[in-house]
C-alpha cells in the first residue's frame, strides 16, 4: 500500500485564496429528490399501515425475517445482559463516561434549565416554568457507524432533563447487534429499545404504531434517509439538528507536538470520506512538520484509506498571517469541533464566536471530548454553529410562560393593551382588557 | 344580521366524548403539494437570480411596480417618521409595551442565557459559552394581519440577546404601509427593513441577494407559503417554530364573571375562522351563563362574523367532572394560550404540564399577555407546546461547549476514551487520547 494523504496547502496571502477556500468549504446539504420521494412514501405508508409497514421495511432494508413486532423489541434484560457480558475495562469505561456526561449535563440544567419568576411593582408575576418532555425517541445508527457513545450523548441529557420515557431505535442489519450499543442503552437508562432504523423508524416514532409509542421529539444522527425523514416530521414532533459530515478545525500556534495535531486531524478524517479536517496556523515550518507526521503516521492507521480519502478530498492546511486572522477564518467556517492548540488558549477563545465545541490547549484532544470529558458530542455541523447549539438538556425541556396580572396590574396594562389592540383592529382583545378596568371606558 | 355563535357542547361523562373531542381537536398541518411546489420553485429562482427574482415576485404578488431594490427598503428615517406621526397615546403604548417586553426578556437572559463553567477535581474546565447570533431576519405579515405587537415580540428578544443586525421583512400589498408596524420597528431597534414578503422574502433572507443580507436565522409567523419556505430553508438557516392557527383554552372554576370569559374566547376567535377557543369547566350552570354572554356580546363585535365562524367551526364548551380532569384534558391539548380562570390558580398550575403560556387568575386576560405584560406572544400552536417553547432570547443565542483538559485530566480521561474508541473501531480517536498520556500504552 502506498497511501498518501496530502491535504491541500493554502495561504491567506495568496491571490486566489478566497476562491480556493470557498471551493474547499463547499458542502451542499441540498436534498436529493429521489431520496425525498422514497422517504415521503415510507412515512405515508407507516402512518397508514403502522406496524405492518414497519415490519415490511425492516425485512426489506435490514434483512430481518421476524414474525412480528415483539421480535424487534430489545428487552431490559437483554440490554443488561449485554452490559454484563462486556470485559470489565469496557464496563468501567462506559460507566465513567456516563457519570461524567451526567455531571456536566446536571450543571447545564442548573445553569440554564430551571424555572424562574419575579413580581413587578404592581404585584404582577412573570416568569417561565421549565418542564421535561414526556417521551422522546433517540435514533442510533447501526452498521459501520454504531456508536455506543452516541447512545450516552442522547439519552443522558434526556434523563437529566427528567424525560419520562426514552425510546431508542437502532437498526441491526442482518440481525447483528452491537453489544456495546446495547450496554450503553442499559447504562444510560433507556426505557424501551427497538431494532428498527431508517425512515420507517422515524415515522414509527413520529406517528406511533400499535407497538411503537408516539414520541414528542426525535434526536440523534442518521444517514440521508433518516435526515430527510426527520425534516419531514418536524412540526408533528420536535427534532434536533440535521447533521452533515463531521469536521474539525485546529488553530495551532506551533507549540503542540506536531504528531498530536496530525492524529487529531486523523481522528476526524477516519469517520468517513466526507469528513473535513482543517489546520489553521501562521507558522509555515510547523505546517510542514504536521505534514511530515501525517506521512509518518498514516501507514500505521487501520482506517488509513478513509483517512487519506478524507484529507485528500476535503482536508486543508492553511497558513495564515497571524493567529488573529486564523480566528477570523475560524468564525467564517463555524466548525463543529474547534481545537485551540496553543500555549495561550484563553488569549484566543474570546475571539472565537461560532463553534460547536471549543477544545482549549494541547491536552484537550477532540477525542477526549467525544467520549468522556462531559460535554455533548452531538454538535452543529456544516456551519450551522452560527445559529445552533450542542445537544443538551434544553433540547429535552420546554418552557411555558407564566403570567399572573394583579388587579392593580390590570389597570396599568389594560390601557396599553386596549390602545394597541384597537390599533390592530382586534376589538375583542381590547374589550377583554377593558373589562378588567375598575373604571371601564365609557 | 342574525348571527349565532354556538360552540359545540361536550361533556366528559358522555359516551361519545372521546370521538367528538378528537374530531374537534383535529387540525392537520399536512403540507399542500401545490403550495410546496410553488415554494420550491420560488426558492430556487431567488437562489439563482437574486434581486431580479425578488423584484419579479414582489411585482406579481404584491402589485408593487418599483424600478429597483432600493425602492423596497424602508429607511431608518422613514421608520422614525412613522413613529413620530402617531397619536401620543399610541406612541406611549408602543413604548410601554416595548419596555415591559424588554424587562421580561432581560430577566429571561439572566435566568437561562448566560455563559457558565466549572473546574473538576483534575483541573479540567467544562462549560458553555453563550453568544448572540450575528444577524437575524424577522418576518412580519402584511395585509389584514399586520401586527405591530409581533414586531416587538420578535425584535426585542433578538436585541436583548445582543444580535448584531435585525433585518425585518414585511410585505406591503399594493404599496400600503402600516404606520404602526413601521413605528414598532423603530421602537424595537430593527437595523434594516424591506417591503417584501412571501416565500421570496424567506429565500432572500436565507440565501442573501445583492441587496438583502443573508441572515443566520429567520423568525416570525406567516401564511402557508411562508411556513413552507421556512421549513425548506431550515438547515441553511435556523428557523423558529412553524405556526398553525391560534388557540385559547380557558379552565374555569366558575368564579370569573362569565362575560370576561366570553370575551376572552372571542379574543382568540376574532383572529381567523380557523382559530380555536375552548372552555373547560366542571360547572354546567356556569357554562350556560358563558353561552348567554356569548349571545349577548356577539352582536356588538365588529369582527362578529369571524368570531361566529371560528366558534361554530372549532370552538367547544366542555363540561368536565372536576377541575383535576380539566387539567388532564388541557395537558392532552397542550394549548398555545391557557387561562386558569380560577380563584385558586396556583392550586391548578402545578398540574399543567404542556402550554405555551399560562395566564393565572381572572385578571390575567390573554390580551394583556399578547400586548404588554412582558412575556412573548409568539407561542407554540397545535399541540407543539408538548415539545417547544415561546420565542425567547434563547432563540437568538447559541452555545459553544468549552473544554480545557489539564495534563492531569488527560491521564484520567485518556484511558477511558481509548477503551471506548477502540470499542467503536476508531483507532485514531484512541491514539489521539493515548498520545497525551505520560506513560503511553506499550
Amino acid at each position: 500500500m502506498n497511501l498518501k494523504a496530502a491535504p491541500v496547502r493554502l495561504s491567506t496571502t495568496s491571490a486566489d485564496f478566497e476562491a480556493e477556500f470557498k471551493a474547499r468549504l463547499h458542502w451542499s446539504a441540498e436534498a436529493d429528490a429521489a431520496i425525498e420521494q422514497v422517504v415521503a412514501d415510507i412515512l405515508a405508508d407507516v402512518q397508514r399501515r403502522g406496524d405492518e409497514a414497519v415490519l415490511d421495511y425492516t425485512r426489506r432494508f435490514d434483512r430481518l425475517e421476524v414474525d412480528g413486532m415483539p421480535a424487534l423489541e430489545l428487552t431490559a434484560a437483554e440490554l443488561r445482559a449485554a452490559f454484563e457480558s462486556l470485559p470489565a475495562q469496557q464496563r468501567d469505561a462506559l460507566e465513567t463516561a456516563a457519570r461524567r456526561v451526567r455531571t456536566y449535563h446536571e450543571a447545564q440544567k442548573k445553569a440554564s434549565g430551571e424555572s424562574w419568576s419575579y413580581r413587578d411593582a404592581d404585584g404582577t408575576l412573570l416568569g417561565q416554568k421549565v418542564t421535561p418532555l414526556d417521551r422522546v425517541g433517540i435514533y442510533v445508527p447501526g452498521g459501520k457507524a454504531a456508536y455506543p457513545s452516541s447512545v450516552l450523548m442522547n439519552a443522558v441529557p434526556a434523563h437529566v432533563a427528567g424525560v419520562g420515557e426514552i425510546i431508542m431505535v437502532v437498526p441491526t442489519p442482518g440481525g447483528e447487534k452491537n453489544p456495546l450499543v446495547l450496554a450503553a442503552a442499559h447504562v444510560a437508562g433507556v426505557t424501551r429499545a427497538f431494532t428498527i432504523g431508517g425512515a420507517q423508524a422515524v415515522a414509527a416514532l413520529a406517528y406511533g404504531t400499535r407497538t411503537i409509542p408516539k414520541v414528542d421529539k426525535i434526536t440523534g444522527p442518521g444517514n440521508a434517509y433518516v435526515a430527510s425523514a426527520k425534516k419531514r416530521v418536524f412540526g408533528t414532533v420536535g427534532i434536533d439538528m440535521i447533521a452533515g459530515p463531521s469536521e474539525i478545525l485546529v488553530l495551532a500556534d506551533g507549540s503542540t507536538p506536531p504528531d498530536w495535531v496530525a492524529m487529531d486531524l486523523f481522528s476526524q478524517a477516519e469517520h468517513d470520506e466526507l469528513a473535513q479536517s482543517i489546520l489553521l496556523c501562521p507558522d509555515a515550518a510547523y505546517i510542514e512538520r504536521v505534514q511530515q507526521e501525517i506521512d509518518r503516521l498514516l501507514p500505521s492507521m487501520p482506517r488509513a484509506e478513509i483517512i487519506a480519502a478524507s484529507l485528500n478530498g476535503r482536508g486543508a492546511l492553511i497558513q495564515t498571517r497571524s493567529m488573529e486572522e486564523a480566528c477570523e477564518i475560524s468564525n467564517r467556517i463555524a466548525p463543529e469541533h474547534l481545537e485551540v492548540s496553543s500555549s495561550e488558549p484563553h488569549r484566543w477563545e474570546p475571539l472565537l464566536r461560532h463553534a460547536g465545541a471549543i477544545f482549549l490547549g494541547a491536552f484537550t484532544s477532540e477525542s477526549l471530548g467525544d467520549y468522556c470529558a462531559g460535554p455533548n458530542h452531538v454538535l452543529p455541523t456544516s456551519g450551522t454553529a452560527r445559529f445552533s447549539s450542542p445537544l443538551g438538556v434544553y433540547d429535552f425541556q420546554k418552557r411555558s410562560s407564566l403570567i399572573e396580572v394583579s388587579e392593580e396590574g390590570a389597570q396599568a396594562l389594560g390601557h396599553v393593551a386596549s390602545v394597541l389592540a384597537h390599533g390592530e383592529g382586534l376589538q375583542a382583545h381590547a374589550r377583554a382588557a377593558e373589562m378588567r378596568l375598575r373604571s371601564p371606558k365609557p
Side-chain angles (χ1 to χ4, degrees), chain A:
Chain A
M1 185 174 69
N2 191 6
L3 219 49
K4 178 84 186 143
V8 68
R9 297 280 271 274
L10 304 178
S11 167
T12 56
T13 57
S14 143
D16 49 6
F17 172 73
E18 271 301 317
E20 292 198 46
F21 175 68
K22 277 187 189 150
R24 203 65 176 175
L25 270 195
H26 184 76
W27 179 81
S28 170
E30 289 307 307
D32 174 311
I35 291 180
E36 291 234 330
Q37 191 53 56
V38 169
V39 167
D41 292 345
I42 293 175
L43 295 189
D45 195 21
V46 172
Q47 201 169 7
R48 199 172 53 242
R49 294 198 299 135
D51 280 349
E52 281 310 309
V54 173
L55 275 171
D56 282 353
Y57 292 115
T58 302
R59 288 187 186 113
R60 193 190 315 170
F61 298 135
D62 293 337
R63 309 176 308 284
L64 275 191
E65 282 305 333
V66 294
D67 46 13
M69 288 298 286
L72 296 180
E73 181 156 8
L74 295 161
T75 63
E78 203 169 346
L79 302 183
R80 188 182 323 108
F83 176 73
E84 282 163 2
S85 72
L86 294 179
Q89 201 186 32
Q90 285 190 336
R91 284 204 308 271
D92 291 350
L94 268 184
E95 286 190 322
T96 302
R99 192 173 57 244
R100 290 193 60 97
V101 172
R102 194 174 300 122
T103 301
Y104 176 84
H105 287 86
E106 279 164 357
Q108 184 178 66
K109 183 182 180 186
K110 202 159 176 170
S112 63
E114 305 282 1
S115 301
W116 56 274
S117 67
Y118 64 95
R119 280 192 192 272
D120 69 14
D122 289 330
T124 293
L125 175 130
L126 300 166
Q128 275 194 325
K129 156 158 138 166
V130 182
T131 45
L133 273 59
D134 281 357
R135 189 190 286 139
V136 302
I138 66 176
Y139 189 98
V140 178
K144 66 170 178 170
Y147 297 147
S149 54
S150 291
V151 178
L152 300 184
M153 293 295 180
N154 279 275
V156 171
H159 216 269
V160 170
V163 169
E165 289 179 58
I166 303 170
I167 314 296
M168 179 175 99
V169 293
V170 55
T172 53
E176 207 178 310
K177 293 170 189 168
N178 181 323
L180 270 165
V181 165
L182 272 53
H186 169 73
V187 170
V190 159
T191 316
R192 294 178 73 183
F194 298 92
T195 58
I196 59 175
Q200 60 274 20
V202 173
L205 291 170
Y207 307 126
T209 70
R210 199 168 324 137
T211 307
I212 314 285
K214 173 174 166 46
V215 301
D216 297 310
K217 184 165 186 169
I218 302 172
T219 70
N223 63 19
Y225 293 87
V226 172
S228 169
K230 279 172 65 183
K231 203 166 164 177
R232 271 184 182 267
V233 298
F234 171 57
T236 302
V237 296
I239 62 169
D240 62 342
M241 63 207 88
I242 304 291
S246 198
E247 325 132 18
I248 191 172
L249 186 78
V250 181
L251 284 184
D253 63 5
S255 62
T256 304
D259 57 334
W260 294 14
V261 168
M263 193 58 73
D264 291 353
L265 298 174
F266 285 3
S267 74
Q268 200 54 239
E270 76 175 338
H271 275 294
D272 65 75
E273 292 80 355
L274 285 176
Q276 183 160 56
S277 301
I278 294 177
L279 173 66
L280 290 174
C281 176
D283 179 346
Y286 184 78
I287 293 177
E288 188 48 46
R289 288 167 63 205
V290 171
Q291 178 63 59
Q292 285 164 9
E293 292 297 334
I294 289 174
D295 297 339
R296 183 177 71 83
L297 292 166
L298 184 67
S300 69
M301 302 310 301
R303 296 167 74 92
E305 289 193 47
I306 297 172
I307 292 171
S310 160
L311 291 180
N312 292 328
R314 302 202 69 220
L317 308 178
I318 304 177
Q319 188 190 345
T320 58
R321 293 181 180 85
S322 61
M323 282 294 282
E324 284 82 357
E325 190 188 44
C327 292
E328 279 167 36
I329 293 176
S330 171
N331 284 331
R332 286 179 58 188
I333 297 175
E336 182 190 12
H337 304 97
L338 172 52
E339 280 189 9
V340 187
S341 210
S342 159
S343 56
E344 36 184 13
H346 291 281
R347 178 171 167 197
W348 309 119
E349 184 271 313
L351 304 186
L352 299 166
R353 289 203 317 283
H354 309 301
I358 303 176
F359 301 78
L360 298 162
F363 280 98
T364 316
S365 72
E366 188 212 304
S367 66
L368 297 181
D370 284 346
Y371 289 109
C372 55
N376 211 289
H377 80 195
V378 181
L379 298 168
T381 58
S382 310
T384 59
R386 295 186 66 82
F387 55 84
S388 52
S389 303
L391 191 68
V393 172
Y394 34 77
D395 286 298
F396 299 103
Q397 297 175 316
K398 34 50 179 204
R399 295 163 183 273
S400 304
S401 303
L402 291 177
I403 315 178
E404 182 178 32
V405 179
S406 62
E407 183 174 353
E408 208 47 48
Q411 310 310 308
L413 296 179
H415 289 290
V416 176
S418 164
V419 169
L420 293 173
H422 281 299
E424 294 186 352
L426 296 176
Q427 297 86 0
H429 283 67
R431 286 185 62 184
E434 292 158 10
M435 281 174 158
R436 270 88 173 176
L437 295 175
R438 273 190 299 259
S439 322
K441 288 199 159 184

